[in-house]
Amino acid sequence: MITVPQLFFAYFAVAMTVLSLLVITAKNPVNSVLWMLALFFHIAGLYLFLNAEFLAAVQLILYAGAILVLFLFVIMMLNVKDEIIGKRFIKGWPVGIALVMSILAVIYFPISRLIQGPAGQYTIEAIRAETNSKVLGRVLYTDYLFPFEVASLILLIAIVGAMVLAKRRA
Amino acid sequence: MVPLNWYIILSAIIFLIGVAGFLTRRNVFIMLMSIELMLNAVNISLVAFSHYLQDMRGQIFVIFIITVAAAEAAIGLAIIVSLFRNKQKMHADEIAEMRG
């Protein structure tokens, strides 16, 4: 028997698969970025479905709002005219597809033998009692404080690296 | 109730589409976007595990992955801009200076 959540998930699964296929097959990179925008909205919807409200907001603000706009800015600076006339795929594309099929075979066996582990302490009721973002923040700033600081270092290196790479040579 | 398996299969399908895009497209730009696609597929599976195992650690990892994805997009786009400025090329099969 198919229930309403399963229908909801089925819509999201089909839409996300089609959108990601459109992302990798679109001829114009601008179209590709816009399909990816629609895909990110669907992913945010799926996060809401999985009770991850904070991550849904982060997905929209950071991925759709910041990273994709960065991609669009770079396309604006580059020339995409010859992309529309030229070929889309490399000469050895069947090798790539064969590699994808072999990865599919490798991934299939663990998924088909999946056994769910023991459940933790953050049940839906426990999270609802003190909101998703509060629980997330407490775990992030106590148990994962050191990785959080390392992440700030990664961002610093990205800032410096991007400036050094994109600077015009004197 | 949606089984956990469905989410993992969806995540695997999107990841494999990302791998296919990375391996078959000529444009360096679309290859970078395929990497973003793969990172998002992993995020979906981590959030699904976090919900079904009732543990917040999956969502914490997603925050770190988004941080690394932002850094990777900034560096990758800077490399593409400098490549285009120096060589006027942005196709993976034309960039063969190292005879690879």
Side-chain angles (χ1 to χ4, degrees), chain A residues 16-71:
Chain A
M16 284 161 76
T17 310
V18 170
L19 283 171
S20 35
L21 280 172
L22 283 171
V23 167
I24 67 158
T25 52
K27 217 166 175 100
N28 193 337
V30 179
N31 288 358
S32 194
V33 172
L34 292 177
W35 288 126
M36 199 153 199
L37 182 67
L39 175 70
F40 284 168
F41 272 95
H42 279 82
I43 292 177
L46 205 64
Y47 286 174
L48 284 180
F49 195 51
L50 286 167
N51 289 316
E53 298 95 354
F54 183 76
L55 285 179
V58 165
Q59 176 81 18
L60 287 185
I61 295 169
L62 229 140
Y63 258 119
I67 296 182
L68 281 187
V69 171
L70 196 66
F71 273 91

Side-chain angles (χ1 to χ4, degrees), chain A residues 29-30 33 67-80 166, chain B residues 29 32 73-74 76-82 84 90:
Chain A
V30 179
V33 172
I67 296 182
L68 281 187
V69 171
L70 196 66
F71 273 91
L72 277 177
F73 261 106
V74 172
I75 293 180
M76 199 175 73
M77 291 194 287
L78 305 178
N79 181 18
V80 292
Chain B
F29 199 82
L32 202 62
L77 288 172
I79 290 174
I80 289 178
V81 167
S82 66
F84 191 72
M90 54 184 302

Side-chain angles (χ1 to χ4, degrees), chain A residues 24 26 83 87 90 120 144, chain B residues 24-26 53 57 85 91:
Chain A
I24 67 158
E83 185 62 29
K87 275 196 300 183
I90 57 168
Y144 290 89
Chain B
T24 57
R25 284 299 295 243
R26 283 174 75 222
L53 297 181
R57 272 176 289 184
R85 187 184 289 148
H91 292 121

Side-chain angles (χ1 to χ4, degrees), chain B residues 19-49:
Chain B
V19 174
F22 186 82
L23 290 176
T24 57
R25 284 299 295 243
R26 283 174 75 222
N27 195 334
V28 186
F29 199 82
I30 309 280
M31 287 166 76
L32 202 62
M33 281 181 43
S34 303
I35 297 176
E36 297 292 328
L37 209 61
M38 288 191 255
L39 288 168
N40 270 289
V42 173
N43 283 354
I44 291 170
S45 82
L46 279 173
V47 174
F49 273 118

